[in-house]
Short mmCIF file of all heavy atoms in Angstrom, two decimals:
data_model
loop_
_atom_site.label_atom_id
_atom_site.label_comp_id
_atom_site.label_asym_id
_atom_site.label_seq_id
_atom_site.Cartn_x
_atom_site.Cartn_y
_atom_site.Cartn_z
N GLU M 1 -3.39 14.03 7.75
CA GLU M 1 -4.09 14.61 6.56
C GLU M 1 -3.15 15.09 5.43
O GLU M 1 -3.58 14.98 4.33
CB GLU M 1 -4.87 15.81 7.17
CG GLU M 1 -6.06 15.37 7.93
CD GLU M 1 -6.89 16.44 8.66
OE1 GLU M 1 -6.40 17.71 8.64
OE2 GLU M 1 -7.94 16.16 9.19
N ASP M 2 -1.98 15.49 5.76
CA ASP M 2 -0.94 15.78 4.69
C ASP M 2 -0.65 14.47 3.97
O ASP M 2 -0.63 14.53 2.66
CB ASP M 2 0.38 16.26 5.45
CG ASP M 2 1.45 16.51 4.36
OD1 ASP M 2 1.14 16.61 3.21
OD2 ASP M 2 2.51 16.76 4.87
N ILE M 3 -0.39 13.39 4.61
CA ILE M 3 -0.08 12.15 3.89
C ILE M 3 -1.25 11.71 3.03
O ILE M 3 -1.18 11.30 1.93
CB ILE M 3 0.24 11.04 4.90
CG1 ILE M 3 1.53 11.45 5.78
CG2 ILE M 3 0.56 9.66 4.24
CD1 ILE M 3 1.82 10.49 6.98
N ILE M 4 -2.47 11.84 3.63
CA ILE M 4 -3.77 11.27 2.97
C ILE M 4 -4.01 12.12 1.82
O ILE M 4 -4.32 11.68 0.67
CB ILE M 4 -4.90 11.43 3.96
CG1 ILE M 4 -4.85 10.27 5.01
CG2 ILE M 4 -6.24 11.22 3.23
CD1 ILE M 4 -5.76 10.57 6.23
N ALA M 5 -3.82 13.51 1.82
CA ALA M 5 -4.12 14.31 0.78
C ALA M 5 -3.07 14.48 -0.34
O ALA M 5 -3.37 14.62 -1.49
CB ALA M 5 -4.44 15.85 1.36
N ASN M 6 -1.78 14.25 -0.04
CA ASN M 6 -0.68 14.58 -0.93
C ASN M 6 0.09 13.40 -1.38
O ASN M 6 0.90 13.59 -2.30
CB ASN M 6 0.16 15.58 -0.29
CG ASN M 6 -0.58 16.89 -0.03
OD1 ASN M 6 -1.27 17.50 -0.90
ND2 ASN M 6 -0.39 17.49 1.23
N SER M 7 -0.01 12.28 -0.71
CA SER M 7 0.99 11.02 -1.04
C SER M 7 0.38 10.34 -2.30
O SER M 7 1.16 9.62 -2.92
CB SER M 7 0.91 10.04 0.18
OG SER M 7 -0.28 9.49 0.29
N GLY M 8 -0.89 10.50 -2.62
CA GLY M 8 -1.54 9.69 -3.71
C GLY M 8 -1.80 8.24 -3.24
O GLY M 8 -2.24 7.43 -4.12
N MET M 9 -1.57 7.81 -2.04
CA MET M 9 -1.81 6.52 -1.67
C MET M 9 -3.26 6.16 -1.34
O MET M 9 -4.02 7.08 -0.83
CB MET M 9 -0.98 6.17 -0.33
CG MET M 9 0.55 5.93 -0.57
SD MET M 9 1.46 5.40 1.01
CE MET M 9 1.59 6.97 1.80
N THR M 10 -3.60 5.03 -1.79
CA THR M 10 -5.00 4.54 -1.35
C THR M 10 -4.79 3.12 -0.99
O THR M 10 -3.76 2.52 -1.16
CB THR M 10 -5.92 4.61 -2.61
OG1 THR M 10 -5.27 3.75 -3.70
CG2 THR M 10 -6.13 5.99 -3.12
N LEU M 11 -5.82 2.55 -0.34
CA LEU M 11 -5.80 1.12 0.15
C LEU M 11 -5.90 0.21 -1.09
O LEU M 11 -6.66 0.49 -2.01
CB LEU M 11 -6.90 0.88 1.05
CG LEU M 11 -6.91 1.60 2.41
CD1 LEU M 11 -8.22 1.27 3.16
CD2 LEU M 11 -5.69 1.19 3.23
N TYR M 12 -5.25 -0.86 -1.05
CA TYR M 12 -5.37 -1.90 -2.04
C TYR M 12 -6.85 -2.43 -1.98
O TYR M 12 -7.46 -2.45 -0.81
CB TYR M 12 -4.46 -3.14 -1.77
CG TYR M 12 -3.04 -2.87 -2.13
CD1 TYR M 12 -2.03 -3.11 -1.19
CD2 TYR M 12 -2.64 -2.55 -3.37
CE1 TYR M 12 -0.69 -2.91 -1.44
CE2 TYR M 12 -1.28 -2.32 -3.66
CZ TYR M 12 -0.29 -2.44 -2.75
OH TYR M 12 0.96 -2.30 -3.02
N THR M 13 -7.44 -2.79 -3.04
CA THR M 13 -8.74 -3.31 -2.98
C THR M 13 -8.68 -4.67 -2.28
O THR M 13 -9.59 -5.07 -1.59
CB THR M 13 -9.30 -3.53 -4.41
OG1 THR M 13 -9.38 -2.22 -5.10
CG2 THR M 13 -10.72 -4.07 -4.35
N ASP M 14 -7.70 -5.49 -2.63
CA ASP M 14 -7.43 -6.68 -1.94
C ASP M 14 -6.39 -6.71 -0.83
O ASP M 14 -5.31 -6.41 -1.08
CB ASP M 14 -7.04 -7.79 -3.05
CG ASP M 14 -7.00 -9.17 -2.55
OD1 ASP M 14 -7.13 -9.43 -1.31
OD2 ASP M 14 -6.97 -10.08 -3.34
N PHE M 15 -6.91 -6.91 0.35
CA PHE M 15 -6.03 -6.89 1.53
C PHE M 15 -4.75 -7.65 1.45
O PHE M 15 -3.69 -7.34 1.90
CB PHE M 15 -6.87 -7.32 2.72
CG PHE M 15 -6.14 -7.33 4.08
CD1 PHE M 15 -5.79 -6.18 4.74
CD2 PHE M 15 -5.84 -8.54 4.66
CE1 PHE M 15 -5.12 -6.18 5.94
CE2 PHE M 15 -5.18 -8.63 5.89
CZ PHE M 15 -4.90 -7.38 6.59
N VAL M 16 -4.83 -8.82 0.63
CA VAL M 16 -3.68 -9.75 0.49
C VAL M 16 -2.63 -9.15 -0.12
O VAL M 16 -1.35 -9.46 0.14
CB VAL M 16 -4.22 -10.95 -0.21
CG1 VAL M 16 -3.05 -11.97 -0.59
CG2 VAL M 16 -5.29 -11.78 0.45
N ASN M 17 -2.80 -8.13 -1.01
CA ASN M 17 -1.72 -7.46 -1.75
C ASN M 17 -0.70 -6.88 -0.80
O ASN M 17 0.60 -6.53 -1.21
CB ASN M 17 -2.19 -6.40 -2.65
CG ASN M 17 -3.10 -6.97 -3.76
OD1 ASN M 17 -3.02 -8.15 -4.01
ND2 ASN M 17 -3.67 -6.12 -4.51
N ASN M 18 -1.02 -6.65 0.59
CA ASN M 18 -0.07 -6.11 1.43
C ASN M 18 1.10 -7.09 1.83
O ASN M 18 2.13 -6.68 2.41
CB ASN M 18 -0.69 -5.71 2.73
CG ASN M 18 -1.51 -4.37 2.57
OD1 ASN M 18 -0.90 -3.28 2.32
ND2 ASN M 18 -2.88 -4.39 2.56
N PHE M 19 0.83 -8.36 1.45
CA PHE M 19 1.74 -9.46 2.12
C PHE M 19 2.20 -10.38 1.00
O PHE M 19 2.85 -11.40 1.33
CB PHE M 19 0.99 -10.08 3.19
CG PHE M 19 0.29 -9.17 4.10
CD1 PHE M 19 -1.03 -9.07 4.14
CD2 PHE M 19 1.10 -8.50 5.05
CE1 PHE M 19 -1.80 -8.22 4.91
CE2 PHE M 19 0.43 -7.60 5.88
CZ PHE M 19 -0.99 -7.46 5.76
N ASP M 20 2.05 -10.10 -0.32
CA ASP M 20 2.55 -11.01 -1.36
C ASP M 20 3.81 -10.44 -1.90
O ASP M 20 4.35 -9.46 -1.42
CB ASP M 20 1.49 -11.18 -2.42
CG ASP M 20 1.13 -9.90 -3.19
OD1 ASP M 20 1.91 -8.87 -3.19
OD2 ASP M 20 -0.11 -9.85 -3.67
N THR M 21 4.45 -11.09 -2.87
CA THR M 21 5.64 -10.67 -3.35
C THR M 21 5.47 -9.84 -4.68
O THR M 21 6.50 -9.34 -5.25
CB THR M 21 6.57 -11.88 -3.73
OG1 THR M 21 5.85 -12.72 -4.53
CG2 THR M 21 6.95 -12.59 -2.39
N ASP M 22 4.28 -9.83 -5.14
CA ASP M 22 4.10 -9.03 -6.40
C ASP M 22 3.75 -7.63 -6.18
O ASP M 22 3.85 -6.76 -7.22
CB ASP M 22 2.82 -9.57 -7.07
CG ASP M 22 2.98 -11.01 -7.57
OD1 ASP M 22 4.19 -11.38 -7.88
OD2 ASP M 22 2.02 -11.89 -7.57
N HIS M 23 3.55 -7.15 -4.94
CA HIS M 23 3.29 -5.71 -4.79
C HIS M 23 4.25 -5.06 -3.72
O HIS M 23 3.86 -4.08 -3.07
CB HIS M 23 1.81 -5.60 -4.16
CG HIS M 23 0.80 -6.07 -5.15
ND1 HIS M 23 0.43 -7.33 -5.35
CD2 HIS M 23 -0.05 -5.29 -6.06
CE1 HIS M 23 -0.58 -7.44 -6.27
NE2 HIS M 23 -0.84 -6.23 -6.68
N GLU M 24 5.41 -5.61 -3.81
CA GLU M 24 6.44 -5.02 -2.79
C GLU M 24 6.86 -3.67 -3.11
O GLU M 24 7.00 -3.31 -4.31
CB GLU M 24 7.60 -5.93 -2.63
CG GLU M 24 7.22 -7.33 -2.01
CD GLU M 24 8.43 -8.33 -1.95
OE1 GLU M 24 9.32 -8.14 -2.64
OE2 GLU M 24 8.27 -9.25 -1.12
N ASN M 25 7.10 -2.76 -2.08
CA ASN M 25 7.67 -1.52 -2.33
C ASN M 25 6.78 -0.59 -3.16
O ASN M 25 7.18 0.18 -4.00
CB ASN M 25 9.00 -1.54 -2.94
CG ASN M 25 9.92 -2.39 -2.04
OD1 ASN M 25 10.03 -2.11 -0.82
ND2 ASN M 25 10.68 -3.28 -2.70
N GLN M 26 5.47 -0.72 -3.07
CA GLN M 26 4.59 0.03 -3.90
C GLN M 26 3.23 0.18 -3.17
O GLN M 26 2.90 -0.45 -2.17
CB GLN M 26 4.35 -0.57 -5.23
CG GLN M 26 3.81 -1.96 -5.22
CD GLN M 26 3.69 -2.54 -6.64
OE1 GLN M 26 2.83 -2.27 -7.35
NE2 GLN M 26 4.55 -3.48 -6.96
N GLY M 27 2.32 1.02 -3.76
CA GLY M 27 1.01 1.24 -3.21
C GLY M 27 0.95 1.60 -1.78
O GLY M 27 1.64 2.60 -1.32
N GLU M 28 0.18 0.98 -0.94
CA GLU M 28 0.03 1.41 0.46
C GLU M 28 1.11 0.90 1.28
O GLU M 28 1.12 1.12 2.56
CB GLU M 28 -1.33 0.92 0.96
CG GLU M 28 -1.56 -0.54 1.12
CD GLU M 28 -2.86 -0.93 1.79
OE1 GLU M 28 -2.88 -0.70 3.06
OE2 GLU M 28 -3.75 -1.35 1.17
N ARG M 29 2.04 0.07 0.74
CA ARG M 29 3.15 -0.40 1.58
C ARG M 29 4.26 0.63 1.65
O ARG M 29 5.04 0.83 0.78
CB ARG M 29 3.74 -1.72 0.87
CG ARG M 29 2.62 -2.86 0.88
CD ARG M 29 2.95 -3.94 -0.10
NE ARG M 29 4.08 -4.74 0.35
CZ ARG M 29 4.24 -5.99 0.08
NH1 ARG M 29 3.36 -6.63 -0.65
NH2 ARG M 29 5.43 -6.56 0.36
N ILE M 30 4.31 1.32 2.82
CA ILE M 30 5.06 2.53 2.87
C ILE M 30 6.59 2.21 3.12
O ILE M 30 7.43 2.90 2.70
CB ILE M 30 4.54 3.44 4.10
CG1 ILE M 30 3.08 3.90 3.79
CG2 ILE M 30 5.37 4.65 4.36
CD1 ILE M 30 2.41 4.60 4.76
N PHE M 31 6.85 1.15 4.02
CA PHE M 31 8.19 0.93 4.38
C PHE M 31 8.29 -0.54 4.77
O PHE M 31 7.53 -0.97 5.51
CB PHE M 31 8.65 1.82 5.51
CG PHE M 31 10.22 1.63 5.76
CD1 PHE M 31 11.12 1.98 4.88
CD2 PHE M 31 10.59 1.24 7.05
CE1 PHE M 31 12.52 1.81 5.14
CE2 PHE M 31 11.97 1.13 7.39
CZ PHE M 31 12.92 1.39 6.36
#
């Protein structure tokens, strides 16, 4: 709940963004 409330992270609208090269090291990709 600390992470959810305070990190500012949200899920990408498009699931594919988790695995492309355009969204590396940002958004919901934590490490």
Side-chain angles (χ1 to χ4, degrees):
E1 288 174 351
D2 178 17
I3 300 168
I4 292 167
N6 299 310
S7 69
M9 283 185 281
T10 59
L11 294 175
Y12 287 124
T13 301
D14 190 344
F15 179 71
V16 175
N17 292 348
N18 283 294
F19 314 104
D20 61 24
T21 56
D22 294 331
H23 295 84
E24 293 179 338
N25 305 314
Q26 58 184 290
E28 68 171 289
R29 295 164 66 153
I30 296 176
F31 186 62

